[in-house]
Amino acid sequence: MRESMTTLFTTTWAVLTVAKIWPGRFSAAAMNSHFHGAAELDGPPTETDQLCESRLGSFYVPRDEAFEEAKQSALEAAQLRALLRNLIPAASDFLAGGGAPFASFSEVDALYSDGFLMGEDEPKWFAHQILANIWNSWQRMMRFDTPAVIKGDRFSWLRDGEFARQMLAGVNPVNIELLRELPISSKLDPDVYGPPESALTKEVIERDLLEMSLEEAFEEKRLFILELYQILPFVNKMNSLPGIKTYASRTVFYLSNAGVLRPLAIELSLPPTSSSSAGSKRVFTHGQDATTQWMWKLAKAHVWPNDASIHQIVNHLLRTHVCTEPYIIAMHRQLSVMHPIYKLLYPHMRYTLAVNAFARKNLISGGGIIEASYSPGKYAMGLSSAAYKTMWRFDMDALPADLLQRGMAVQDPCMPSGVKLVIEDYPYASDGLLIWQAIKELAEAYVEHFYCEPNSVKSDLELQAWWDEILNIGHADKRNEPWWPKLHTNEDLSSILTTMIWTTSGQHAAINFGQYPFEGEPDYEKFKLNPEEFFLSSLPTRYQASKVMATQESVSSHSPDEEYLGKPNSSGNHWTNDEDIQNLYSKFADQLEAIEKMINLRNKDIQLQNRCGAGVPPYELLHPTSGPGVTGRGIPKSVSA
């Protein structure tokens, strides 16, 4: 549980510093071999598994995809800062015997106000004292910035209101769904994973519905679910790892008459074992007594790491970094650099291969940050692969389609994007639809300009080869899926381009820039004696927290040469003298400026409680522009960090 709870900080305490860099799904060698003239980089088989390659010393990135000097310098500076921030805490942890937990909530706060101070109660070894003197003397420079989410309310992360708000305005606002049927049931094989029926029954859900009946709540679309049951096949493996105790989880929410989302009940589940063929399902609700309320807090603490793991491994890693690589490789291989679609897409693919290569080497390597800090541990890539196989669809990367699929919107031809939100105060979706629509209008006008003749899309051999390679090589294991769009008409092309540009810009920005049931067991007695101490013992150690925070801050900064959506490209906007194209980009820039102003107004609207109010930080993850550094705002054109 302790290591898995590192994610409690990354999702609630560090909303503005969530990790930015994740790798591609395929090996770098396989990816790079798609380029014309790329060197053969396949490594020799490992000694333990002849079907797997040995790790390469470095990952080749084509010169036109490598970091430019400003970006490389910013990355190296961030790495050095992270190294310095981790060096002393790591040494202190080692000399103190390792695993020093937080003793109080004040010590957690001190990471921001004081930094990693080496306490007086730690061993008085000579080396340790030297480290303490050196480290404590320069804490002011090395302390962590306080995340916006706790600047106004230091205990907001413990409250139900913030727990629910994160589902709509946090770093992972893409998992919550409308609850559309009862009983809730799993699609996993019952012979392997036990009875599919959830313990979140009608009786459990309606127990805390004070404003209306269960039937009325269904009819008015007031019930929602955070379904994180897909990790169940990995739970036993994860729990075999040292320091991990995790459960698959489901959480049901209710949208109150005041327009505020609040959690009703949480289910924590274990798969069948040799001693329990049916598995285990436990339900937790708020309750009135102190014991039940602390149990509720611990149940929420189990939901956070699940949500954070799915966020990073699936929604961030898989859906933005990984699945974008085939588009880039096919673009380089099949489209001339003078092709209009190449010119449109290239700024949205900039640096992605270099970022992914860096991540493969430094972040998801064996024993790296992902394995050490997230609850799936060494099974993280297996979870990502399983999600790709069972969940990923290109057509569902389109924002309106995703919202409709999750029941978070309904079709409405009167709306510009064709959908109307079920929850009006849904910052990610309401701001995202503005960005989506602006991208869509640019793509449609751009395609119409260059493909004005009948059948011109279908007869463009380079374009058809590009799309064919994406389907049949880049995503070969899904080549026969019926949901792949055709590429025959202008509408087909503009739709595909809109999805790609949204995924690499708005979607990535939105999910990137912001990161127990034990009754009858001995632990339960410890819990009853001192629930606060027990809760703190479940959190990461001081070193674990410091390590993750330092790493995330280093990789979540905007570099000085960042290119933002709607702004000129580094290569210049004058690759064409066509006045119509220049006007299209100018109009797009004006739309983005107008969207910025609208977002700023929304963040001052007291009726929108998920982005405005006492202690509530404004929602700026889809604010188009930003300055350099960790800002929690800005939409880069590409998955560039």
Side-chain angles (χ1 to χ4, degrees), residues 75-95:
L75 180 62
E76 290 172 354
Q79 285 181 284
L80 177 60
R81 185 176 176 86
L83 175 64
L84 293 174
R85 278 182 160 171
N86 283 323
L87 184 62
I88 300 297
S92 174
D93 199 56
F94 173 77
L95 292 173

Side-chain angles (χ1 to χ4, degrees), residues 128-192:
H128 189 271
Q129 285 295 93
I130 292 176
L131 285 171
N133 292 336
I134 294 173
W135 181 254
N136 293 342
S137 66
W138 60 319
Q139 273 300 289
R140 183 177 300 276
M141 181 181 71
M142 299 303 290
R143 72 175 58 144
F144 293 99
D145 292 335
T146 304
V149 72
I150 60 170
K151 277 185 178 179
D153 183 355
R154 61 190 289 258
F155 286 112
S156 64
W157 60 280
L158 272 173
R159 306 187 202 285
D160 286 352
E162 182 60 24
F163 178 73
R165 193 187 72 87
Q166 288 286 322
M167 303 301 116
L168 302 173
V171 294
N172 190 36
V174 298
N175 274 124
I176 189 168
E177 304 177 45
L178 181 71
L179 182 59
R180 285 170 280 198
E181 62 179 10
L182 281 173
I184 300 168
S185 183
S186 166
K187 295 181 181 179
L188 295 174
D189 185 350
D191 293 333
V192 178

Side-chain angles (χ1 to χ4, degrees), residues 248-543:
S249 63
R250 293 183 174 108
T251 308
V252 173
F253 298 85
Y254 167 68
L255 184 65
S256 71
N257 289 338
V260 176
L261 202 65
R262 63 182 181 90
L264 294 180
I266 294 171
E267 176 193 71
L268 299 181
S269 301
L270 293 172
T273 62
S274 57
S275 60
S276 175
S277 59
S280 171
K281 295 183 174 71
R282 284 284 305 277
V283 168
F284 299 85
T285 55
H286 308 78
Q288 301 300 320
D289 61 282
T291 299
T292 304
Q293 290 176 4
W294 271 104
M295 293 284 280
W296 170 251
K297 288 181 174 66
L298 286 166
K300 289 192 296 180
H302 272 289
V303 175
W304 279 126
N306 288 349
D307 186 64
S309 296
I310 295 299
H311 161 241
Q312 294 288 23
I313 297 167
V314 177
N315 297 330
H316 188 190
L317 157 65
L318 175 66
R319 293 179 61 186
T320 62
H321 284 260
V322 170
C323 293
T324 298
E325 289 199 5
Y327 316 154
I328 303 169
I329 295 171
M331 180 185 74
H332 280 287
R333 283 173 46 85
Q334 303 299 342
L335 298 180
S336 161
V337 294
M338 295 305 296
H339 195 286
I341 301 306
Y342 181 101
K343 290 294 187 183
L344 176 68
L345 284 180
Y346 182 74
H348 302 288
M349 308 301 174
R350 180 179 183 238
Y351 288 159
T352 302
L353 294 184
V355 166
N356 289 357
F358 171 85
R360 287 186 180 93
K361 182 179 180 180
N362 297 286
L363 296 180
I364 64 157
S365 53
I369 294 297
I370 297 300
E371 289 193 4
S373 304
Y374 288 82
S375 53
K378 65 181 181 180
Y379 302 107
M381 295 302 100
L383 180 57
S384 179
S385 181
Y388 175 78
K389 180 179 180 181
T390 60
M391 296 168 55
W392 183 80
R393 294 175 47 158
F394 177 85
D395 58 333
M396 290 299 115
D397 278 347
L399 178 57
D402 172 64
L403 293 171
L404 289 170
Q405 180 191 43
R406 292 190 284 120
M408 301 303 292
V410 294
Q411 291 184 334
D412 186 344
C414 297
M415 301 297 289
S417 57
V419 299
K420 181 180 180 181
L421 296 177
V422 171
I423 300 178
E424 181 182 354
D425 189 9
Y426 187 1
Y428 157 77
S430 56
D431 290 359
L433 287 172
L434 295 176
I435 303 295
W436 168 271
Q437 187 62 25
I439 295 172
K440 181 173 181 286
E441 291 177 13
L442 172 66
E444 288 175 343
Y446 189 95
V447 168
E448 189 62 34
H449 178 82
F450 285 104
Y451 293 90
C452 54
E453 299 295 328
N455 298 318
S456 53
V457 168
K458 197 171 184 179
S459 62
D460 185 333
L461 299 182
E462 289 187 29
L463 191 64
Q464 294 299 324
W466 168 73
W467 187 238
D468 181 75
E469 179 165 320
I470 289 172
L471 270 64
N472 293 300
I473 298 178
H475 289 286
D477 41 2
K478 288 181 175 286
R479 70 176 73 182
N480 296 319
E481 296 289 351
W483 40 257
W484 281 109
K486 305 297 183 184
L487 185 52
H488 294 164
T489 66
N490 285 22
E491 183 180 354
D492 296 337
L493 177 56
S494 61
S495 176
I496 289 169
L497 295 173
T498 301
T499 298
M500 288 182 177
I501 295 172
W502 159 254
T503 300
T504 56
S505 59
Q507 178 70 6
H508 180 262
I511 63 174
N512 175 71
F513 292 104
Q515 337 214 331
Y516 308 115
F518 39 72
E519 279 188 39
E521 299 180 12
D523 279 347
Y524 185 62
E525 297 305 315
K526 297 179 183 178
F527 163 73
K528 287 195 300 182
L529 287 173
N530 193 330
E532 179 178 331
E533 180 180 314
F534 189 91
F535 186 91
L536 287 165
S537 72
S538 300
L539 301 181
T541 65
R542 292 188 297 164
Y543 166 59

Side-chain angles (χ1 to χ4, degrees), residues 32-280:
N32 292 327
S33 66
H34 285 304
F35 282 101
H36 290 301
E40 183 65 35
L41 295 176
D42 292 347
T46 64
E47 295 180 0
T48 56
D49 188 345
Q50 294 297 300
L51 298 179
C52 296
E53 296 176 7
S54 295
R55 182 184 303 172
L56 297 169
S58 62
F59 293 96
Y60 169 74
V61 177
R63 284 179 294 177
D64 55 355
E65 288 290 335
F67 292 134
E68 295 177 12
E69 185 176 353
K71 177 72 172 180
Q72 185 66 37
S73 297
L75 180 62
E76 290 172 354
Q79 285 181 284
L80 177 60
R81 185 176 176 86
L83 175 64
L84 293 174
R85 278 182 160 171
N86 283 323
L87 184 62
I88 300 297
S92 174
D93 199 56
F94 173 77
L95 292 173
F102 291 105
S104 67
F105 288 114
S106 296
E107 282 196 4
V108 181
D109 289 340
L111 282 175
Y112 304 109
S113 59
D114 301 322
F116 186 94
L117 290 178
M118 300 173 74
E120 296 181 356
D121 58 338
E122 293 179 355
K124 299 298 183 180
W125 301 332
F126 178 69
H128 189 271
Q129 285 295 93
I130 292 176
L131 285 171
N133 292 336
I134 294 173
W135 181 254
N136 293 342
S137 66
W138 60 319
Q139 273 300 289
R140 183 177 300 276
M141 181 181 71
M142 299 303 290
R143 72 175 58 144
F144 293 99
D145 292 335
T146 304
V149 72
I150 60 170
K151 277 185 178 179
D153 183 355
R154 61 190 289 258
F155 286 112
S156 64
W157 60 280
L158 272 173
R159 306 187 202 285
D160 286 352
E162 182 60 24
F163 178 73
R165 193 187 72 87
Q166 288 286 322
M167 303 301 116
L168 302 173
V171 294
N172 190 36
V174 298
N175 274 124
I176 189 168
E177 304 177 45
L178 181 71
L179 182 59
R180 285 170 280 198
E181 62 179 10
L182 281 173
I184 300 168
S185 183
S186 166
K187 295 181 181 179
L188 295 174
D189 185 350
D191 293 333
V192 178
Y193 301 107
E197 296 80 12
S198 170
L200 294 173
T201 62
K202 293 181 179 179
E203 293 73 22
V204 169
I205 294 173
E206 65 184 354
R207 189 182 305 158
D208 203 25
L209 282 176
L210 305 178
E211 298 175 335
M212 60 180 62
S213 68
L214 181 65
E215 291 72 20
E216 290 172 326
F218 257 97
E219 184 177 348
E220 296 184 20
K221 293 183 169 60
R222 297 285 197 94
L223 294 174
F224 300 86
I225 185 169
L226 181 67
E227 174 68 81
L228 300 174
Y229 205 69
Q230 63 265 44
I231 74 165
L232 190 69
F234 294 87
V235 166
N236 284 339
K237 294 178 181 179
M238 291 159 62
N239 284 335
S240 70
L241 300 173
I244 298 294
K245 184 62 177 179
T246 193
Y247 304 82
S249 63
R250 293 183 174 108
T251 308
V252 173
F253 298 85
Y254 167 68
L255 184 65
S256 71
N257 289 338
V260 176
L261 202 65
R262 63 182 181 90
L264 294 180
I266 294 171
E267 176 193 71
L268 299 181
S269 301
L270 293 172
T273 62
S274 57
S275 60
S276 175
S277 59
S280 171

Side-chain angles (χ1 to χ4, degrees), residues 576-596:
T576 176
N577 292 325
D578 192 317
E579 186 176 346
D580 290 341
I581 294 300
Q582 296 290 345
N583 289 338
L584 286 182
Y585 280 111
S586 179
K587 178 184 177 182
F588 183 58
D590 291 342
Q591 285 180 289
L592 269 291
E593 288 185 12
I595 289 171
E596 283 195 357

